[in-house]
């Protein structure tokens, strides 16, 4: 599936009501998470550039998706924190709390990838 298809599935099927971000902001998070993954393991589709047309297999998306969800949560928190001046009530974790979770996920990503590579090499 392409990143466009995965983002659309996320917005329409998985989170039809809970996402306050527009589609292009969510897409930017999917691209950012995919670029991060590609820094450790080259994507099977080996695109020249990672964009909304980049294809991912289920294995790749399974590893990228948790980071993508954290990136979306951080952007949502940033938008809601900025909107507080207009009276919007903040819900969920703050952007600082999500950034801490992202740092932990990214620092453990290399270990996770190495474990997966060892399993698939066996």
């Amino acid at each position: 599936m392409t990143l466009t298809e995965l983002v659309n599935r996320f917005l329409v099927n998985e989170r039809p009501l809970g996402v306050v971000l527009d589609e292009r902001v969510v897409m930017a998070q999917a691209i950012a998470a995919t670029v991060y993954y590609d820094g450790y393991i080259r994507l099977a589709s080996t695109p020249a550039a990672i964009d909304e047309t980049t294809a991912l297999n289920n294995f790749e998306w399974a590893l990228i998706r948790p980071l993508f969800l954290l990136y979306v949560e951080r952007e949502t928190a940033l938008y809601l924190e900025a909107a507080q001046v207009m009276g919007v009530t903040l819900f969920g974790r703050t952007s600082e709390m999500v950034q801490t979770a992202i740092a932990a996920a990214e620092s453990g990503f290399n270990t996770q990838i190495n474990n997966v590579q060892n399993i698939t090499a066996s």
Side-chain angles (χ1 to χ4, degrees), residues 9-102:
R9 183 174 72 185
F10 173 75
L11 292 171
V12 173
N13 298 337
E14 296 176 30
R15 304 277 167 81
L17 298 175
V19 179
V20 297
L21 307 172
D22 68 24
E23 184 178 340
R24 65 190 171 86
V25 175
V26 176
M27 178 59 72
Q29 305 320 303
I31 291 170
T34 304
V35 167
Y36 190 85
Y37 171 91
D38 192 54
Y40 287 98
I41 297 180
R42 190 78 178 133
L43 295 171
S45 63
T46 61
I50 296 172
D51 61 19
E52 62 276 350
T53 64
T54 300
L56 300 177
N57 61 40
N58 288 336
F59 176 78
E60 292 167 334
W61 186 239
L63 294 173
I64 293 168
R65 187 175 184 280
L67 195 56
F68 161 72
L69 293 173
L70 285 170
Y71 287 0
V72 169
E73 184 181 0
R74 177 186 56 200
E75 286 302 306
T76 301
L78 287 169
Y79 275 55
L80 291 174
E81 288 166 3
Q84 280 183 304
V85 297
M86 295 182 294
V88 173
T89 302
L90 185 64
F91 64 90
R93 295 191 285 183
T94 66
S95 60
E96 183 179 350
M97 293 169 68
V98 179
Q99 186 58 45
T100 301
I102 289 171

Side-chain angles (χ1 to χ4, degrees), residues 41 59 63 111-121:
I41 297 180
F59 176 78
L63 294 173
T111 303
Q112 181 183 7
I113 295 300
N114 286 335
N115 290 340
V116 168
Q117 287 177 327
N118 291 335
I119 290 169
T120 57

